[in-house]
Amino acid sequence: MSDVKPTIAILGGTGALGTGLARRWAQAGYPIVIGSRTKEKAQEAVTELQSLMQERGVDAVAVEADDNQSAAAKADIVTLTVPYAHHASTLEGVKADLEGKILIDVTVPLRPPKVGTVQLPDAGSAAQEAQALLGEGVKVVSAFQNVAAHHLQEGHGIECDVLVAGNNKEARAEVVTLVEAAGMNGFSVGPIANSAAAEALTSVLIQINRQYKCHAGIRISGLPEQDS
Amino acid sequence: MSDVKPTIAILGGTGALGTGLARRWAQAGYPIVIGSRTKEKAQEAVTELQSLMQERGVDAVAVEADDNQSAAAKADIVTLTVPYAHHASTLEGVKADLEGKILIDVTVPLRPPKVGTVQLPDAGSAAQEAQALLGEGVKVVSAFQNVAAHHLQEGHGIECDVLVAGNNKEARAEVVTLVEAAGMNGFSVGPIANSAAAEALTSVLIQINRQYKCHAGIRISGLPEQDS
């Protein structure tokens, strides 16, 4: 990558997770396009983000609003943070605009009301569904499923590692860079099938959050020179 | 539970994980029956364990050998640590002896050669397969899938938390106690379906181990009063 930072679209970017990622990446200097079903809805999130950036004294970064499809078309890298119920339909709508790009799929296949029970789809994971729907011309990389939106929204450090899965090694490495830009450690963990681990873990963390009244995450332990 | 500790059988107890758990629990004072396909094979592991206990100056604990079926019949709690290829057949052989008991299923559905790729079975997880095979009269609880045998074998503290899934809440709590007895933190994470998370994570950790030349594990982060 050159010094010019890629433009990142965040589809479904008005939710807690989407705005949280937008804040982190905007602070790191990445141009952001927040997408939503309508440009107007996306504009509200952009206005809020701009005032927050001003409060925090962050130098002007390009943050704009658009509908999901135009946002996908404008961006170099596209992030998807919609509820699972809108996963396939949102992807269908932007499929042509993703060709050749990295899609960062943050979707967790939670099926209310039993969000604390793992219910992975037949394909194995939501990310595998995305890869099948989009075809091999799109580099689907899954990430961020285990990070509490609460922590992304705050300015503090985040005690959660990010598992990064995808069939393209270079794309995984690029997403690991974006994870680090957002203030976390990313681990490149192999093929898109391995997204099942991160997606399933979300229900496990929901169970732990209920018991401990917290926003739990995971850390990878036992690494060389990082044993505490 | 009374002060009398339950007897724990470890089926397939001659492998690295099985002998590791046996060491930890024997050191904590739990009577152990190591099971294998033949009593003779189990006896080798028991002899080794007894000499290790003596080296470490651990007071005599009851450690005996038997074939898998007799071991299951003798024990109050049964642990299964066999390769996935022998999972169903081993359970078939001991099914009648498990009635009313807790079965701690440590099985990870790894399918060589691609052990670094998540390949969960159609039932969702190996633990769900076990519960379906054994029926509701057996309290299947899954645990320990993410702990490196290497760490269990050593005497040191273990930097890995254990996800404990199962449909019976009291059984989960009893297994959490056994996790603590083995020197780790256990988290009760809901129904047996949630074993998918721990089982899938093993392939993710295999990927990380290959990259970092380590024996990685996971820690739950973001807990109250435990933020570091």
Side-chain angles (χ1 to χ4, degrees):
Chain A
M1 285 193 293
S2 72
D3 274 1
V4 177
K5 289 192 162 68
T7 296
I8 306 175
I10 304 178
L11 310 187
T14 61
L17 198 61
T19 55
L21 285 170
R23 284 176 194 193
R24 296 270 167 174
W25 283 328
Q27 279 192 289
Y30 287 85
I32 301 290
V33 189
I34 290 187
S36 190
R37 266 174 282 185
T38 65
K39 182 171 177 172
E40 289 66 37
K41 192 154 177 249
Q43 186 57 51
E44 289 173 39
V46 165
T47 305
E48 205 181 312
L49 178 59
Q50 283 168 328
S51 78
L52 187 87
M53 290 297 103
Q54 214 159 24
E55 252 174 58
R56 293 194 183 162
V58 178
D59 282 348
V61 288
V63 182
E64 56 176 311
D66 223 319
D67 62 88
N68 280 330
Q69 201 200 324
S70 305
K74 277 178 186 171
D76 302 303
I77 294 175
V78 179
T79 307
L80 181 65
T81 66
V82 293
Y84 183 56
H86 303 140
H87 183 242
S89 60
T90 306
L91 286 173
E92 289 286 3
V94 301
K95 184 176 174 178
D97 304 292
L98 297 179
E99 201 59 26
K101 298 179 182 174
I102 291 174
L103 173 78
I104 305 178
D105 196 348
V106 184
T107 307
V108 179
L110 299 178
R111 308 192 203 193
K114 293 202 168 183
V115 297
T117 297
V118 175
Q119 298 177 79
L120 295 173
D122 289 345
S125 61
Q128 282 164 285
E129 290 182 320
Q131 187 68 75
L133 190 153
L134 298 170
E136 294 303 318
V138 179
K139 290 166 268 187
V140 177
V141 177
S142 98
F144 299 111
Q145 295 94 340
N146 305 134
V147 183
H150 167 84
H151 293 310
L152 286 172
Q153 301 265 350
E154 302 293 321
H156 60 60
I158 298 183
E159 291 261 326
C160 187
D161 291 334
V162 174
L163 306 179
V164 177
N167 293 337
N168 184 296
K169 193 176 177 178
E170 288 71 33
R172 289 200 306 267
E174 203 162 336
V175 174
V176 166
T177 302
L178 294 178
V179 170
E180 289 164 357
M184 289 157 281
N185 292 321
F187 287 86
S188 180
V189 299
I192 198 71
N194 291 359
S195 183
E199 295 180 27
L201 256 180
T202 301
S203 292
V204 160
L205 294 175
I206 288 170
Q207 294 274 352
I208 292 171
N209 290 346
R210 285 178 186 159
Q211 284 168 61
Y212 292 87
K213 314 285 177 219
C214 65
H215 300 279
I218 61 151
R219 302 302 299 263
I220 298 298
S221 61
L223 296 169
E225 296 170 51
Q226 205 180 296
D227 275 312
S228 57
Chain B
M1 284 194 294
S2 72
D3 273 2
V4 177
K5 289 194 162 68
T7 296
I8 306 174
I10 304 178
L11 311 187
T14 61
L17 197 60
T19 55
L21 285 170
R23 286 175 193 193
R24 296 271 168 172
W25 283 329
Q27 279 193 287
Y30 287 84
I32 301 289
V33 189
I34 290 187
S36 191
R37 265 174 284 185
T38 64
K39 183 172 177 171
E40 290 66 37
K41 192 154 177 250
Q43 186 57 52
E44 289 173 38
V46 165
T47 304
E48 205 180 314
L49 177 59
Q50 283 168 327
S51 79
L52 186 87
M53 291 296 105
Q54 213 159 26
E55 255 174 55
R56 293 194 185 162
V58 178
D59 282 349
V61 287
V63 182
E64 56 177 310
D66 223 320
D67 63 88
N68 280 329
Q69 201 200 323
S70 305
K74 277 177 184 169
D76 302 302
I77 294 175
V78 178
T79 306
L80 181 64
T81 66
V82 293
Y84 183 57
H86 303 137
H87 183 241
S89 60
T90 306
L91 286 173
E92 288 286 3
V94 300
K95 183 176 174 178
D97 305 290
L98 297 179
E99 201 60 25
K101 298 178 182 175
I102 291 174
L103 173 76
I104 305 177
D105 197 349
V106 184
T107 306
V108 179
L110 298 177
R111 308 191 203 194
K114 293 202 168 183
V115 296
T117 297
V118 175
Q119 299 176 79
L120 295 174
D122 289 343
S125 61
Q128 282 163 287
E129 290 183 321
Q131 187 70 73
L133 190 153
L134 298 171
E136 294 304 318
V138 179
K139 290 165 269 187
V140 178
V141 178
S142 98
F144 298 112
Q145 294 94 340
N146 306 134
V147 183
H150 168 84
H151 293 310
L152 286 172
Q153 301 265 352
E154 301 295 320
H156 59 61
I158 298 182
E159 291 262 326
C160 187
D161 290 334
V162 174
L163 306 179
V164 176
N167 293 336
N168 184 295
K169 193 176 176 177
E170 289 71 33
R172 289 201 305 266
E174 204 162 333
V175 174
V176 166
T177 302
L178 293 178
V179 170
E180 289 165 356
M184 288 158 281
N185 291 321
F187 288 84
S188 180
V189 299
I192 197 73
N194 291 0
S195 182
E199 295 179 27
L201 256 180
T202 301
S203 292
V204 160
L205 294 175
I206 288 170
Q207 294 275 352
I208 292 171
N209 289 346
R210 285 178 186 159
Q211 284 168 59
Y212 293 87
K213 314 286 178 220
C214 66
H215 301 278
I218 61 150
R219 302 302 297 263
I220 299 297
S221 61
L223 296 170
E225 295 170 51
Q226 206 180 295
D227 275 313
S228 56

